[in-house]
Amino acid sequence: PYFFSLDYIHQYISALISLSVDMAPYLILGFLIAGILKVLVPANIMTKYLGKSNTSSVINASLFGIPLPLCSCGVLPTGISLYKNGASKGSSVSFLISTPQTGVDSILVTWSMLGLPLAIIRPITAFFTGVAGGILTNKFDSTRLSIKTEVNQEKKSKGSSLREIFRYAFIEMVDDIAKWLVIGLLIAAFITVAVPDEFFNEFNITGLTGMVLILVVSIPLYICATASVPIAAVLLLKGLSPGAILVFLMAGPATNAATITVIGKNLGKKTLIVYMASLIIGSLLFGLLIDNFLPHEWFMPMASMMGDHQHEILPMWLSVSSAVLLSLFIFYSFLKSFHQWFKRKTNNQKLADMKYLDDISIGVDGMTCQKCKAKIEAGLNSLDGVAIVDADVEAKSVSIKGEHLDLKKIENKVTEMGYSFKGINPN
């Protein structure tokens, strides 16, 4: 079969390497900028400017969210936490819409693989859809919580701040997107060699038809903003219109089944309807504007993706060394995840028959994926007296075993991580 031939395997590996080399330098730079934003921007600055139910707060929320490198999985606990710490519902929705569509890392990667015009249009689209969603939320569902939480800022030395920047940039950020980035690259390489050139044009899947098709496929699926770029670049090469590409870049990162469930449960059905309507209408509107009013020559994949390496933006040695460095970061992330999984499995086997003074089950809202499960388990395992933590994403519950468990500390830890503590589950 063709897919198992040596020629196909060679083409696939070549496409995978080419895609990785193209995006690696921009991704590493994006990670570094993300670390600087995370460490040097005061933690309480968001809640300070997002508290009012007015247009100004909605605009602030969108502007704050656009550069943050949070995909839909990571933005959910952050956005819900902002709402429960005093941000208005409109501001929270604006943040939830605009943030997962972009980020400094994905903007730079978009520039490297899809060109500067789309790299500029992408955050602009995220801003306007976020603002529109926030304004509509304030108009149709302005109910809000009255909880306020003080955020303590610890002063750090320059040395510790620098270490924290690099730790967040190249460990925590890589942990957040490593799996999805690899999946996105694997899919993009497969499309490159398996889908014929001009496929979408040949089957007349263009214009509004292509946008609606991409929208239907994108809404329930999870893909982060950065990982969506190589797939988008390959789809553009295969004949999908630039407008449909923008729809994919918007809807893919900002929606998925888990996002829809969590927003509906925490912010209400009215807000969920506004959230989805803003994204759907906004993506189709901007997609149509691109296809009908902007030159198609603006939206071509970079020359290196089309086999022309004579006019690359960056020297080859820098791109290749960046790809090697990124591969090492990703390998370390996977190795660390495997080690943590093996350690938990070993500890659970050793501790399975031990008896504890305390064995409780708590409700935790906001968990949407395995990354949330790992974050909850690691955070609660760090508390004194906790021996075993087992989070169930589907049941929204966490089983905790240990000695002399402090429920207040457990509640504070859950809240600190951006999730909602729902108390002890009834037996």
Side-chain angles (χ1 to χ4, degrees):
Y2 172 70
F3 289 134
F4 296 98
S5 68
L6 289 177
D7 183 55
Y8 170 80
I9 293 172
H10 178 264
Q11 291 179 43
Y12 182 84
I13 293 174
S14 298
L16 185 62
I17 292 173
S18 178
L19 290 166
S20 302
V21 169
D22 282 339
M23 70 187 299
Y26 300 90
L27 194 52
I28 287 177
L29 177 60
F31 285 162
L32 184 60
I33 296 173
I36 294 171
L37 288 173
K38 171 73 174 179
V39 175
L40 300 185
V41 175
N44 62 347
I45 195 170
M46 290 189 186
T47 53
K48 180 179 179 181
Y49 292 100
L50 311 185
K52 296 180 180 179
S53 297
N54 57 21
T55 302
S56 177
S57 291
V58 167
I59 291 174
N60 289 338
S62 190
L63 291 174
F64 278 132
I66 284 172
L68 295 181
L70 292 174
C71 51
S72 60
C73 178
V75 77
L76 278 174
T78 306
I80 300 299
S81 177
L82 283 173
Y83 174 58
K84 294 185 176 180
N85 281 281
S88 68
K89 186 171 284 190
S91 299
S92 303
V93 168
S94 178
F95 181 84
L96 287 167
I97 290 175
S98 59
T99 305
Q101 295 183 51
T102 59
V104 286
D105 54 332
S106 64
I107 292 171
L108 289 170
V109 172
T110 302
W111 177 32
S112 72
M113 303 191 79
L114 293 169
L116 185 60
L118 202 51
I120 295 173
I121 291 172
R122 194 176 182 185
I124 291 174
T125 304
F127 172 76
F128 280 106
T129 52
V131 170
I135 291 173
L136 289 172
T137 299
N138 283 337
K139 181 176 179 63
F140 294 108
D141 188 12
S142 60
T143 56
R144 54 172 296 172
L145 297 179
S146 58
I147 302 173
K148 280 280 185 179
T149 302
E150 293 293 329
V151 180
N152 294 321
Q153 285 286 107
E154 294 183 7
K155 292 184 178 179
K156 298 180 180 180
S157 65
K158 291 183 178 179
S160 64
S161 294
L162 188 62
R163 284 193 300 272
E164 182 63 18
I165 287 172
F166 281 97
R167 187 200 66 78
Y168 180 80
F170 301 117
I171 295 179
E172 192 170 329
M173 272 292 298
V174 176
D175 287 345
D176 283 346
I177 76 163
K179 181 176 75 172
W180 300 109
L181 179 61
V182 170
I183 291 173
L185 285 170
L186 292 174
I187 293 173
F190 175 77
I191 295 173
T192 300
V193 298
V195 178
D197 292 342
E198 298 299 313
F199 171 82
F200 293 97
N201 286 330
E202 290 177 11
F203 288 89
N204 199 31
I205 309 175
T206 57
L208 186 59
T209 303
M211 294 179 205
V212 173
L213 177 63
I214 288 294
L215 192 62
V216 171
V217 172
S218 301
I219 284 178
L221 299 181
Y222 174 85
I223 184 168
C224 71
T226 302
S228 66
V229 177
I231 299 175
V234 174
L235 290 174
L236 188 59
L237 277 174
K238 301 301 180 181
L240 196 62
S241 73
I245 292 299
L246 183 66
V247 171
F248 175 71
L249 292 173
M250 290 178 63
T255 63
N256 61 64
T259 300
I260 293 169
T261 301
V262 172
I263 290 178
K265 191 169 184 179
N266 285 272
L267 299 179
K269 292 182 179 179
K270 286 184 180 180
T271 297
L272 175 60
I273 292 171
V274 171
Y275 177 89
M276 294 302 297
S278 300
L279 277 169
I280 292 171
I281 296 173
S283 63
L284 292 176
L285 177 60
F286 277 92
L288 289 170
L289 287 173
I290 284 180
D291 279 354
N292 290 285
F293 295 100
L294 296 180
H296 278 222
E297 308 87 68
W298 286 10
F299 307 100
M300 288 298 294
M302 300 305 286
S304 60
M305 288 195 63
M306 296 181 285
D308 181 5
H309 291 272
Q310 295 180 353
H311 304 288
E312 293 170 346
I313 297 176
L314 300 175
M316 179 57 71
W317 67 264
L318 179 59
S319 297
V320 172
S321 59
S322 297
V324 171
L325 190 61
L326 180 62
S327 299
L328 292 175
F329 289 143
I330 291 175
F331 176 76
Y332 175 72
S333 176
F334 284 159
L335 188 65
K336 186 173 60 173
S337 296
F338 175 77
H339 178 263
Q340 291 172 347
W341 170 82
F342 184 77
K343 183 178 179 181
R344 285 197 303 269
K345 185 177 180 181
T346 303
N347 287 341
N348 287 346
Q349 289 176 343
K350 289 181 179 179
L351 300 171
D353 297 328
M354 294 181 66
K355 303 296 181 183
Y356 294 99
L357 298 177
D358 299 315
D359 184 352
I360 63 173
S361 174
I362 62 172
V364 175
D365 211 359
M367 296 187 294
T368 61
C369 62
Q370 292 304 305
K371 178 178 175 290
C372 296
K373 171 182 170 71
K375 183 178 180 180
I376 287 287
E377 290 176 347
L380 294 179
N381 263 316
S382 68
L383 298 177
D384 293 336
V386 175
I388 299 177
V389 181
D390 183 20
D392 187 332
V393 175
E394 296 297 327
K396 308 297 181 188
S397 67
V398 181
S399 173
I400 306 172
K401 295 181 180 181
E403 295 181 344
H404 310 297
L405 299 179
D406 188 326
L407 193 61
K408 188 62 178 175
K409 289 184 178 179
I410 292 173
E411 178 182 356
N412 290 339
K413 190 66 177 180
V414 169
T415 304
E416 176 188 313
M417 290 186 287
Y419 301 93
S420 299
F421 178 80
K422 297 299 182 181
I424 296 178
N425 293 326
N427 294 327

